[in-house]
Amino acid sequence: MAAAERPIPLRRALSGLLLTLVVFSFACEACKKVTFNIPSKLEADNIVGRVNLKECLRSADLIRSGDPDFRVLDDGSVYTTSTVVLSDEKRSFTIWLSDSRTQAQKEIKVLLEHQKKVLRKRYAKEAVLRRSKRRWAPIPCSMQENSLGPFPLFLQQVQSDAAQNYSIFYSISGHGVDQEPLNLFFIERDTGNLYCTRPVDREEYEVFDLIAYASTADGYSADMPLPLPIRVEDENDNHPIFTEAIYNFEVPESSRLGTTVGVVCATDKDEPDTMHTRLKYSILEQTPKSPGIFSVHPTTGVITTVAHYLDRETVDKYSLIMKVQDMDGQLFGLMSTSTCIITVKDSNDNAPTFKQNTYEASVEENAYNVEILRIPIEDKDLINTANWRANFTILKGNENGYFKISTDKETNEGVLYVVKPLNYEENHQVTLEIGVSNEAPFTRDFALRTTMNRALVTVHVRDQDEGPECSPAAQYVRIQEHSVVGSKVNGYKAYDPETRSASGIRYKKLHDPKGWITIDEISGSITTSKILDREAMTPRNDLYNITVLAIDQDGRSCTGTLAVNIEDMNDNPPEILQSYVTICKPKMRYTDISAVDPDEPIHGPPFYFSLADTSPEMNRMWTLTKVNDTAARLSYQKNAEFQEYSVPITVKDREGQSATKTVRVNLCDCTHPSQCLPTRRSAGVILGKWAILAILLGIALLFSVLLTLVCGVFGAKKRKGFPEDLAQQNLIISNTEAPGDDKVCSANGFMTQTVNNSGQGFCGTMGSGMKNGGQETIEMVKGGHQTLESCRGTGHHHTLDSCRGGHVETDNCRHTYSEWHNFTQPRLGEDSIRGHTG
C-alpha cells in the first residue's frame, strides 16, 4: 500500500533477531553492560530492547533511566520518550536499580550502536540490498453502500516495498474475509489487488477492519501486518420513521398563545450528522381545517398553539397529519407521515345560569324536612365534571336557618328544603336570594369578566289550624321547702298560636316523680299535696320536673315541662361521718372528724365542732381543733391508756342547727389501724334481747324433746307398744348417709314424718338429727325472716305457742345446728359489749 515514506529499511526486520542474540549473550553480565543495535532514527514510544533486570537485582523496586530520552518499564523493556537520532555511531546511558528495603543499588550500562548489515537476496538474485523508503502503510479506502457492481468490485491495490527485492505474496484477514460476513473481500495473492464480492448495507456494517500481510514464499514476513480499514459510504436509502404511528395529546381549552401541546419525534437509520439524517417536521393537514390552530417546530417537532380559538364546546378534538422529511426537507428527500390526535380538555369557562330569574314555592306552617322546590340550571361545560356540577348557596333571607339547599347529583338541580317549622302567624312569606357556582373555580380570564348568577325564590307559608303551643317548652316556678300542704302557685301556661290566648285549654299532669303536686285542669296552677323535701329529690339539689299535657277543645295537645325550684330551708343539721376510728399510739397524735350537711351551702358550712361532754376528765383527755370548714382534729393526751373510748361530739352549721354523735375511738398500740380490732371487755356482761331470745329458744327446744317423748308413750298404748327407751329412739342421731324416714308422734296424736315431708302440729316439728358429711344437724324453726323470733306459715305471724295446729311446710322451717350457732354467738357477744359499755 503506497503512502507515507518511513526510514525503516528491510534490515529492521532482522534487527530484532540480532538484538535478541545480543541480550542473551550478555545475560550473565547484565549488571555490567548491555548493547542494542538500533536504526539511526527512532520515533517516540518505539521499543529499543529489553534488559533482564532480575539477574542484576531481583529485589529492585525502583528503576530509573539516566537518559531522559529513554524510559524503562518494570519488565525491563526500554522505550524512547521522544524521537532519537544517532548522529554518531554509538550512544550510551545508565539504568539504576535500587532496593529501598535493603538499600542495595546496582547499575546497568546500555550501549546503543548503529550497524549496517548486508543481506543477500534469496533465490537467484545476488545484488546487495540498499536501504530505501517504504510504501507499506494503510491507505484510506472506502466503498459505496448498495453498490451495483460489477462484482467482484475492485477497491485498491496493496503493495510492499519488499516486492522490489523479493517475491512477495499477499493475504488478508478480518470481518468480511474469515469472519462474518464471510468471503465479502478477497485479495489477489500475487498482485495485492483487493476486491469486494457483493453489495454492502452500511446500516449493518459501517467499516471493515482488515489486516493485510506480505510474506515470502518460505513464509518469512517481509513487513509488519498492515491494518486496512474499509469504510462503507452511506447512501440515503432509509426513510425517516416516526416513533409512534398515532400520537395522542391533550390541551386545555383555556390555553394561551404558544402553549406546548406535545412533541413528535422521528428516527433515520442513515449515517448521523449528514444530510441523510437531517430531518424537518411539518403539518400536512388539520381536521377540522379552519381555523389553523397549531404549528410544529421544523427541527424539534414541538407542537404549539398559534391561535386563541380553542373552545371545547365548539370543537373538542383535532386531527393532524404530521410529515417528516430528510435531506433537510428538500424535495428529493425521503419522507413519512404520522397522525396526531389532539383532545381539547374542558376548562370552567362557562358559568352556570338559572333558567328563570324568579321562582315561587309554598309550604304549610310547622312542616319541616320537606322538599319545596327544584331549581334547574344550564351549564355548557363537560357534563359530570367539576366544571359542570353546580353549588347552590342561599345568599339572603335565611338568617334564621329555616331553609337549606343542596344539589341533585343526577340532574344538577338545586333542591330547596324547609328544615325548621315556619310559623304563619310570624311570617306569611319568605324571600330568598339563591346563587349558583361550580365545584371547580373559573379560569382566570373568565373569572375577571363574570359574576355569580342569582335568582329570587318567594316561599309562601300556608296557614294551618294548629293545636295549643307549649312555649316555652320549660317553664319555671319557685316553692319553699316544707310549705304547708295545699300551697298554691302559678303553674304551666299554653296558648293558641292563632289567637294568642290560653282560654279553652285544659291541663293534665303526665308525670310527677314524688306525687307532691296537683295541677288545676282549667288554670294550670299547681297545689302542693305533700310536704316538699328538697333533700329527698333525685337527683338531689336539682329542679323538680313535672311533665304537663295541654289540650285544646278539639283534642289537640302539646307537652311541656314545669320545673319547680324548691327553695331550701335549714331543716337538716350537719352529720358526722365517722362512727368508729382507730388511733395508733404513739405514731398517730390525732384523727380528723368530718361532717356533711344535705342542705344548700347557704345553710351549711362552716361547721363548728365541740365536745358534748364538758366534764374536766373529758376535756383533760381530748381536744378538738378546727381543720377547715367541714372538719376538726380530735387529739388525745400523751398519758392516755390503750383502750376504747366513747367521745360525744357536737357539730353545728352556720345557722346553729346542731347534732351530737358519740364516736368510738380505739386508742391502740399499733403502727397501722388495720392491726387493731374492736376491743371487748369481759366485766359487766349484760344480756341483750338476742341473748335472752337464744336462751328461750333453747328452753323451747328442750320442751319439744320432752313433748316428743310423751307423744311416744301415748302412741304405744293405742298401738302394739314401744320399747321403754322410746325417748331415746325418738331423737335419733344417725351417722349413716341414708338413715331412712324417722317418724314421731306429735302432741295432737298424729304421726309426723320429719324428713322431706310436711306435717301438722308444731311449726317444724322436731325430727331426727342427720349427719351429712360429718356435720350433725338438728331441724329447727326457720321463718320467713330467717330468725328464730318468728315463724311465718301461710302469711300469718305465729309464736312457738300460737303455731300449734297450723299447717307449715317443714322445708321452710328448718335450721341446721351450725346456722343456729352462727346466729346466737355474735348476738351474745354484741349484748355482752353493750352491757359492758352501758
Side-chain angles (χ1 to χ4, degrees), residues 615-653:
S615 63
E617 181 182 357
M618 183 65 68
N619 290 330
R620 184 169 56 255
M621 180 66 67
W622 303 98
T623 58
L624 276 171
T625 57
K626 182 177 180 180
V627 176
N628 52 41
D629 287 348
T630 60
R633 183 160 294 165
L634 179 64
S635 306
Y636 65 88
Q637 299 301 322
K638 293 183 178 180
N639 57 356
E641 296 181 359
F642 294 110
Q643 66 180 43
E644 186 177 293
Y645 297 88
S646 296
V647 182
I649 300 175
T650 300
V651 58
K652 295 181 181 180
D653 61 20

CSV table of all heavy atoms in Angstrom, one decimal, residues 615-653:
chain,number,residue,atom,x,y,z
A,615,SER,N,-67.1,17.6,130.8
A,615,SER,CA,-66.5,17.3,132.1
A,615,SER,C,-65.0,17.5,132.1
A,615,SER,O,-64.4,17.4,131.0
A,615,SER,CB,-66.9,15.8,132.5
A,615,SER,OG,-66.3,14.9,131.5
A,616,PRO,N,-64.5,17.8,133.3
A,616,PRO,CA,-63.0,18.0,133.3
A,616,PRO,C,-62.2,16.8,132.8
A,616,PRO,O,-61.2,17.0,132.1
A,616,PRO,CB,-62.7,18.3,134.8
A,616,PRO,CG,-64.0,18.8,135.3
A,616,PRO,CD,-65.1,18.0,134.6
A,617,GLU,N,-62.7,15.6,133.1
A,617,GLU,CA,-62.0,14.4,132.7
A,617,GLU,C,-62.0,14.3,131.1
A,617,GLU,O,-60.9,14.0,130.5
A,617,GLU,CB,-62.7,13.2,133.2
A,617,GLU,CG,-62.0,11.9,132.8
A,617,GLU,CD,-62.7,10.6,133.4
A,617,GLU,OE1,-63.6,10.8,134.1
A,617,GLU,OE2,-62.2,9.5,133.1
A,618,MET,N,-63.1,14.6,130.5
A,618,MET,CA,-63.2,14.6,129.0
A,618,MET,C,-62.3,15.7,128.4
A,618,MET,O,-61.6,15.4,127.4
A,618,MET,CB,-64.6,14.7,128.6
A,618,MET,CG,-64.8,14.6,127.1
A,618,MET,SD,-64.4,13.0,126.4
A,618,MET,CE,-65.7,12.0,127.2
A,619,ASN,N,-62.4,16.9,129.0
A,619,ASN,CA,-61.5,18.0,128.4
A,619,ASN,C,-60.1,17.7,128.6
A,619,ASN,O,-59.2,18.2,127.9
A,619,ASN,CB,-62.0,19.3,129.1
A,619,ASN,CG,-63.4,19.7,128.6
A,619,ASN,OD1,-63.8,19.4,127.5
A,619,ASN,ND2,-64.1,20.4,129.5
A,620,ARG,N,-59.7,17.0,129.7
A,620,ARG,CA,-58.3,16.7,130.0
A,620,ARG,C,-57.8,15.7,129.1
A,620,ARG,O,-56.6,15.7,128.7
A,620,ARG,CB,-58.2,16.3,131.5
A,620,ARG,CG,-56.7,16.1,131.9
A,620,ARG,CD,-56.6,15.9,133.4
A,620,ARG,NE,-57.4,14.8,133.9
A,620,ARG,CZ,-58.5,15.0,134.6
A,620,ARG,NH1,-58.9,16.2,134.8
A,620,ARG,NH2,-59.2,13.9,135.0
A,621,MET,N,-58.7,14.7,128.6
A,621,MET,CA,-58.3,13.6,127.8
A,621,MET,C,-58.3,14.0,126.3
A,621,MET,O,-57.4,13.6,125.5
A,621,MET,CB,-59.2,12.4,128.0
A,621,MET,CG,-58.8,11.2,127.1
A,621,MET,SD,-57.2,10.5,127.6
A,621,MET,CE,-57.6,9.9,129.2
A,622,TRP,N,-59.3,14.8,125.8
A,622,TRP,CA,-59.5,15.0,124.4
A,622,TRP,C,-59.6,16.5,124.1
A,622,TRP,O,-60.1,17.3,124.9
A,622,TRP,CB,-60.7,14.3,123.9
A,622,TRP,CG,-60.7,12.9,124.1
A,622,TRP,CD1,-61.4,12.2,125.1
A,622,TRP,CD2,-60.1,11.9,123.4
A,622,TRP,NE1,-61.1,10.9,125.1
A,622,TRP,CE2,-60.3,10.6,123.9
A,622,TRP,CE3,-59.3,11.9,122.2
A,622,TRP,CZ2,-59.8,9.4,123.5
A,622,TRP,CZ3,-58.8,10.7,121.7
A,622,TRP,CH2,-59.0,9.5,122.3
A,623,THR,N,-59.1,16.9,122.9
A,623,THR,CA,-59.2,18.3,122.5
A,623,THR,C,-59.6,18.3,121.0
A,623,THR,O,-59.2,17.4,120.2
A,623,THR,CB,-57.8,19.1,122.6
A,623,THR,OG1,-56.8,18.4,121.9
A,623,THR,CG2,-57.4,19.2,124.1
A,624,LEU,N,-60.4,19.3,120.6
A,624,LEU,CA,-60.8,19.5,119.2
A,624,LEU,C,-60.3,20.8,118.7
A,624,LEU,O,-60.5,21.8,119.3
A,624,LEU,CB,-62.4,19.4,119.1
A,624,LEU,CG,-63.0,18.1,119.1
A,624,LEU,CD1,-64.5,18.2,119.2
A,624,LEU,CD2,-62.7,17.4,117.8
A,625,THR,N,-59.7,20.7,117.5
A,625,THR,CA,-59.2,21.9,116.8
A,625,THR,C,-59.7,21.9,115.4
A,625,THR,O,-59.9,20.9,114.8
A,625,THR,CB,-57.7,22.0,116.8
A,625,THR,OG1,-57.2,20.8,116.2
A,625,THR,CG2,-57.1,22.1,118.2
A,626,LYS,N,-60.0,23.1,114.8
A,626,LYS,CA,-60.5,23.2,113.5
A,626,LYS,C,-59.5,22.9,112.4
A,626,LYS,O,-58.3,23.4,112.5
A,626,LYS,CB,-61.1,24.7,113.3
A,626,LYS,CG,-61.7,24.9,111.9
A,626,LYS,CD,-62.3,26.3,111.8
A,626,LYS,CE,-62.9,26.5,110.5
A,626,LYS,NZ,-63.5,27.9,110.3
A,627,VAL,N,-59.9,22.1,111.4
A,627,VAL,CA,-59.0,21.9,110.3
A,627,VAL,C,-59.4,22.7,109.1
A,627,VAL,O,-58.6,23.4,108.5
A,627,VAL,CB,-59.1,20.4,109.9
A,627,VAL,CG1,-58.3,20.1,108.6
A,627,VAL,CG2,-58.6,19.5,111.0
A,628,ASN,N,-60.7,22.7,108.7
A,628,ASN,CA,-61.3,23.5,107.7
A,628,ASN,C,-62.8,23.7,108.0
A,628,ASN,O,-63.2,23.4,109.1
A,628,ASN,CB,-61.1,22.9,106.3
A,628,ASN,CG,-61.5,21.5,106.2
A,628,ASN,OD1,-62.6,21.1,106.8
A,628,ASN,ND2,-60.7,20.6,105.6
A,629,ASP,N,-63.5,24.2,107.0
A,629,ASP,CA,-65.0,24.5,107.3
A,629,ASP,C,-65.8,23.2,107.6
A,629,ASP,O,-66.9,23.3,108.1
A,629,ASP,CB,-65.6,25.2,106.1
A,629,ASP,CG,-65.0,26.6,106.0
A,629,ASP,OD1,-64.4,27.1,107.0
A,629,ASP,OD2,-65.3,27.3,104.9
A,630,THR,N,-65.3,22.0,107.2
A,630,THR,CA,-66.1,20.8,107.4
A,630,THR,C,-65.4,19.8,108.2
A,630,THR,O,-65.9,18.7,108.3
A,630,THR,CB,-66.5,20.2,106.0
A,630,THR,OG1,-65.2,19.9,105.3
A,630,THR,CG2,-67.3,21.2,105.1
A,631,ALA,N,-64.3,20.0,108.8
A,631,ALA,CA,-63.6,19.0,109.6
A,631,ALA,C,-62.9,19.6,110.8
A,631,ALA,O,-62.6,20.8,110.8
A,631,ALA,CB,-62.5,18.3,108.7
A,632,ALA,N,-62.7,18.7,111.8
A,632,ALA,CA,-62.0,19.1,113.0
A,632,ALA,C,-61.0,18.0,113.4
A,632,ALA,O,-61.2,16.8,112.9
A,632,ALA,CB,-63.0,19.4,114.2
A,633,ARG,N,-60.0,18.3,114.2
A,633,ARG,CA,-59.0,17.4,114.5
A,633,ARG,C,-59.2,17.0,116.0
A,633,ARG,O,-59.1,17.8,116.9
A,633,ARG,CB,-57.6,18.0,114.3
A,633,ARG,CG,-56.5,17.1,114.6
A,633,ARG,CD,-55.2,17.6,113.8
A,633,ARG,NE,-55.4,17.4,112.4
A,633,ARG,CZ,-54.7,18.0,111.5
A,633,ARG,NH1,-53.7,18.8,111.9
A,633,ARG,NH2,-54.9,17.9,110.2
A,634,LEU,N,-59.3,15.7,116.3
A,634,LEU,CA,-59.5,15.1,117.6
A,634,LEU,C,-58.2,14.6,118.1
A,634,LEU,O,-57.6,13.7,117.5
A,634,LEU,CB,-60.6,14.0,117.6
A,634,LEU,CG,-60.8,13.3,119.0
A,634,LEU,CD1,-61.4,14.3,120.0
A,634,LEU,CD2,-61.8,12.1,118.8
A,635,SER,N,-57.6,15.2,119.1
A,635,SER,CA,-56.3,14.8,119.7
A,635,SER,C,-56.4,14.3,121.1
A,635,SER,O,-57.3,14.7,121.8
A,635,SER,CB,-55.3,16.0,119.7
A,635,SER,OG,-55.3,16.6,118.4
A,636,TYR,N,-55.5,13.4,121.5
A,636,TYR,CA,-55.5,12.8,122.9
A,636,TYR,C,-54.3,13.3,123.6
A,636,TYR,O,-53.3,13.8,123.0
A,636,TYR,CB,-55.6,11.3,122.8
A,636,TYR,CG,-54.4,10.7,122.1
A,636,TYR,CD1,-53.2,10.3,122.8
A,636,TYR,CD2,-54.3,10.5,120.7
A,636,TYR,CE1,-52.1,9.8,122.2
A,636,TYR,CE2,-53.2,9.9,120.1
A,636,TYR,CZ,-52.1,9.6,120.9
A,636,TYR,OH,-51.0,9.1,120.3
A,637,GLN,N,-54.4,13.1,124.9
A,637,GLN,CA,-53.2,13.5,125.8
A,637,GLN,C,-52.2,12.3,125.8
A,637,GLN,O,-52.6,11.2,125.5
A,637,GLN,CB,-53.7,13.8,127.2
A,637,GLN,CG,-54.7,15.0,127.3
A,637,GLN,CD,-54.0,16.3,126.8
A,637,GLN,OE1,-52.9,16.5,127.0
A,637,GLN,NE2,-54.9,17.0,126.1
A,638,LYS,N,-51.0,12.6,126.1
A,638,LYS,CA,-49.9,11.6,126.0
A,638,LYS,C,-50.1,10.5,127.0
A,638,LYS,O,-49.7,9.4,126.8
A,638,LYS,CB,-48.6,12.3,126.2
A,638,LYS,CG,-48.2,13.2,125.0
A,638,LYS,CD,-46.8,13.8,125.3
A,638,LYS,CE,-46.4,14.7,124.1
A,638,LYS,NZ,-45.0,15.3,124.3
A,639,ASN,N,-50.7,10.8,128.1
A,639,ASN,CA,-50.8,9.8,129.2
A,639,ASN,C,-52.1,9.0,129.0
A,639,ASN,O,-52.4,8.2,129.9
A,639,ASN,CB,-50.8,10.5,130.6
A,639,ASN,CG,-51.9,11.5,130.7
A,639,ASN,OD1,-52.7,11.8,129.7
A,639,ASN,ND2,-52.1,12.1,131.9
A,640,ALA,N,-52.8,9.0,127.9
A,640,ALA,CA,-54.0,8.2,127.7
A,640,ALA,C,-53.6,6.8,127.6
A,640,ALA,O,-52.6,6.4,127.0
A,640,ALA,CB,-54.7,8.7,126.4
A,641,GLU,N,-54.5,5.9,128.1
A,641,GLU,CA,-54.2,4.5,128.1
A,641,GLU,C,-54.7,3.8,126.8
A,641,GLU,O,-55.6,4.4,126.2
A,641,GLU,CB,-54.9,3.8,129.3
A,641,GLU,CG,-54.4,4.3,130.7
A,641,GLU,CD,-55.1,3.7,131.8
A,641,GLU,OE1,-56.0,2.8,131.5
A,641,GLU,OE2,-54.8,3.9,133.0
A,642,PHE,N,-54.2,2.6,126.6
A,642,PHE,CA,-54.6,1.9,125.4
A,642,PHE,C,-55.9,1.2,125.7
A,642,PHE,O,-56.0,0.3,126.5
A,642,PHE,CB,-53.6,0.8,125.0
A,642,PHE,CG,-52.3,1.4,124.5
A,642,PHE,CD1,-51.1,1.2,125.3
A,642,PHE,CD2,-52.2,2.0,123.3
A,642,PHE,CE1,-49.9,1.7,124.9
A,642,PHE,CE2,-51.0,2.5,122.9
A,642,PHE,CZ,-49.8,2.4,123.6
A,643,GLN,N,-57.0,1.8,125.2
A,643,GLN,CA,-58.3,1.2,125.3
A,643,GLN,C,-59.3,1.9,124.4
A,643,GLN,O,-58.9,2.8,123.6
A,643,GLN,CB,-58.8,1.3,126.7
A,643,GLN,CG,-59.1,2.8,127.2
A,643,GLN,CD,-59.6,2.8,128.6
A,643,GLN,OE1,-59.1,2.1,129.5
A,643,GLN,NE2,-60.5,3.7,128.9
A,644,GLU,N,-60.5,1.5,124.4
A,644,GLU,CA,-61.5,2.1,123.5
A,644,GLU,C,-62.3,3.1,124.3
A,644,GLU,O,-62.7,2.8,125.5
A,644,GLU,CB,-62.5,1.0,123.0
A,644,GLU,CG,-63.5,1.6,122.0
A,644,GLU,CD,-64.3,0.5,121.4
A,644,GLU,OE1,-63.8,-0.4,120.6
A,644,GLU,OE2,-65.6,0.5,121.7
A,645,TYR,N,-62.5,4.3,123.7
A,645,TYR,CA,-63.2,5.4,124.4
A,645,TYR,C,-64.4,5.8,123.6
A,645,TYR,O,-64.5,5.6,122.4
A,645,TYR,CB,-62.3,6.6,124.5
A,645,TYR,CG,-61.0,6.4,125.3
A,645,TYR,CD1,-59.9,5.9,124.7
A,645,TYR,CD2,-61.0,6.7,126.7
A,645,TYR,CE1,-58.7,5.7,125.5
A,645,TYR,CE2,-59.9,6.5,127.4
A,645,TYR,CZ,-58.7,6.0,126.8
A,645,TYR,OH,-57.6,5.9,127.6
A,646,SER,N,-65.4,6.3,124.3
A,646,SER,CA,-66.6,6.9,123.7
A,646,SER,C,-66.6,8.4,123.8
A,646,SER,O,-66.6,8.9,125.0
A,646,SER,CB,-67.9,6.3,124.3
A,646,SER,OG,-68.0,4.9,124.0
A,647,VAL,N,-66.4,9.1,122.7
A,647,VAL,CA,-66.3,10.6,122.7
A,647,VAL,C,-67.5,11.2,122.1
A,647,VAL,O,-67.6,11.1,120.8
A,647,VAL,CB,-65.0,11.0,122.0
A,647,VAL,CG1,-64.8,12.5,122.1
A,647,VAL,CG2,-63.8,10.3,122.6
A,648,PRO,N,-68.4,11.8,122.8
A,648,PRO,CA,-69.5,12.5,122.2
A,648,PRO,C,-69.1,13.9,121.6
A,648,PRO,O,-68.4,14.7,122.3
A,648,PRO,CB,-70.5,12.7,123.4
A,648,PRO,CG,-69.6,12.7,124.6
A,648,PRO,CD,-68.4,11.9,124.3
A,649,ILE,N,-69.5,14.1,120.3
A,649,ILE,CA,-69.0,15.3,119.6
A,649,ILE,C,-70.3,16.0,119.1
A,649,ILE,O,-71.1,15.4,118.5
A,649,ILE,CB,-68.0,15.0,118.5
A,649,ILE,CG1,-66.8,14.3,119.1
A,649,ILE,CG2,-67.7,16.3,117.7
A,649,ILE,CD1,-65.8,13.9,118.0
A,650,THR,N,-70.4,17.3,119.2
A,650,THR,CA,-71.5,18.1,118.7
A,650,THR,C,-71.0,18.9,117.6
A,650,THR,O,-69.9,19.5,117.6
A,650,THR,CB,-72.1,19.0,119.8
A,650,THR,OG1,-72.5,18.2,120.9
A,650,THR,CG2,-73.2,19.9,119.2
A,651,VAL,N,-71.8,19.0,116.5
A,651,VAL,CA,-71.4,19.8,115.3
A,651,VAL,C,-72.6,20.7,115.0
A,651,VAL,O,-73.7,20.3,115.0
A,651,VAL,CB,-71.0,18.9,114.1
A,651,VAL,CG1,-72.1,18.0,113.7
A,651,VAL,CG2,-70.6,19.7,112.9
A,652,LYS,N,-72.3,22.0,114.6
A,652,LYS,CA,-73.3,23.0,114.3
A,652,LYS,C,-73.0,23.6,112.9
A,652,LYS,O,-71.8,23.7,112.6
A,652,LYS,CB,-73.3,24.1,115.3
A,652,LYS,CG,-73.7,23.7,116.7
A,652,LYS,CD,-73.7,24.9,117.7
A,652,LYS,CE,-74.1,24.5,119.1
A,652,LYS,NZ,-74.1,25.7,120.0
A,653,ASP,N,-74.1,23.9,112.2
A,653,ASP,CA,-73.9,24.7,110.9
A,653,ASP,C,-73.9,26.1,111.2
A,653,ASP,O,-73.9,26.6,112.4
A,653,ASP,CB,-74.9,24.3,109.9
A,653,ASP,CG,-76.3,24.6,110.4
A,653,ASP,OD1,-76.5,25.4,111.3
A,653,ASP,OD2,-77.3,24.0,109.8
